[in-house]
Amino acid sequence: MIDFFDYVDEELSDEVFYIRDEQNQTKVKLIKDRLDATKENCVRVLNDLRKSIKFIPVDSNIPLKKLDGQDESSCDAFLFEPERATFIEIKDVRNSQNHKAKEQLKNTIRLFDEYHSNMKVRRQAYLCDLNRYVNFYSKVDENGYEEKMRRYLSKVSTKEDKETFLSEYKTRFYVGNDVYV
């Protein structure tokens, strides 16, 4: 039996922090300094209410194994606050890795449910794109950004994806660079 909470890297209540994935089979890192986060491979986490959050790297950190000893597919990070669990996968979506990323999120949620079946909290899953130029929450500009954003989102996140996550995994599904907790 694996307890995800045995692998807490840090507990924090910062208003803004970043998670970096070097994409090199190592666990993700927590970054608090905005200057360090300007480098590639970071996503921003916004904690406006400054809630206490447990930061837990999952992939390359929690030893999740199949019955045959092979590693389970898992997402990059897990954030936990008393009323909500947030699962995060960071990918370069331009490389058509969005299907794999969704499967990693689903599998981690399934494993969390298996190991923490008595825990009933609201859940959300984020597929975060490493491409820093995509900011889904900024205002639309005169250069047709709205159309680019619409086409991009339709390729990465479908209505079916959102319905599957909600019905099968009781989890809200989002795509973007910013994670809201």
Side-chain angles (χ1 to χ4, degrees):
M1 173 98 167
I2 300 273
D3 185 349
F4 278 47
F5 300 101
D6 287 344
Y7 297 89
V8 172
D9 237 33
E10 189 167 337
E11 191 161 342
L12 68 160
S13 58
D14 298 40
E15 188 173 2
V16 177
F17 59 93
Y18 304 85
I19 300 172
R20 175 176 290 140
D21 184 357
E22 298 293 347
Q23 300 287 300
N24 62 2
Q25 305 302 316
T26 59
K27 71 180 186 176
V28 293
K29 294 177 178 55
L30 183 68
I31 307 291
K32 293 184 181 183
D33 184 351
R34 189 175 67 78
L35 294 176
D36 283 341
T38 59
K39 298 173 184 158
E40 295 181 10
N41 303 345
C42 284
V43 296
R44 179 171 61 171
V45 179
L46 301 161
N47 180 15
D48 292 341
L49 299 177
R50 299 183 73 97
K51 298 177 259 185
S52 179
I53 296 171
K54 289 177 175 43
F55 168 70
I56 305 169
V58 180
D59 195 17
S60 300
N61 188 42
I62 300 178
L64 300 169
K65 302 283 186 191
K66 296 179 183 177
L67 292 176
D68 65 3
Q70 296 291 317
D71 287 340
E72 285 275 11
S73 172
S74 61
C75 70
D76 290 314
F78 173 64
L79 303 177
F80 185 80
E81 56 189 277
E83 67 276 355
R84 182 173 23 201
T86 302
F87 301 86
I88 301 169
E89 177 58 29
I90 305 168
K91 282 278 190 261
D92 183 347
V93 179
R94 288 181 303 181
N95 293 337
S96 301
Q97 295 181 353
N98 55 339
H99 177 74
K100 179 181 178 187
K102 292 171 197 170
E103 293 306 313
Q104 288 174 271
L105 285 163
K106 290 175 186 176
N107 199 50
T108 307
I109 293 165
R110 179 188 63 75
L111 291 166
F112 180 78
D113 286 347
E114 182 179 318
Y115 296 127
H116 299 281
S117 58
N118 61 339
M119 191 168 289
K120 306 297 181 214
V121 294
R122 292 181 310 164
R123 300 185 305 194
Q124 56 187 13
Y126 279 87
L127 169 54
C128 297
D129 191 346
L130 285 178
N131 300 306
R132 307 242 347 134
Y133 68 86
V134 180
N135 183 350
F136 300 105
Y137 306 104
S138 65
K139 292 183 179 174
V140 176
D141 63 23
E142 65 278 355
N143 298 323
Y145 182 77
E146 181 177 31
E147 178 60 21
K148 290 178 190 171
M149 182 174 70
R150 188 189 60 72
R151 277 183 288 160
Y152 181 87
L153 282 173
S154 69
K155 288 195 309 194
V156 176
S157 174
T158 65
K159 183 179 179 184
E160 183 180 292
D161 288 330
K162 291 181 180 200
E163 289 172 355
T164 299
F165 269 88
L166 198 55
S167 65
E168 293 181 29
Y169 299 95
K170 310 289 186 273
T171 304
R172 295 194 179 280
F173 177 67
Y174 303 96
V175 175
N177 286 9
D178 293 335
V179 174
Y180 294 88
V181 292

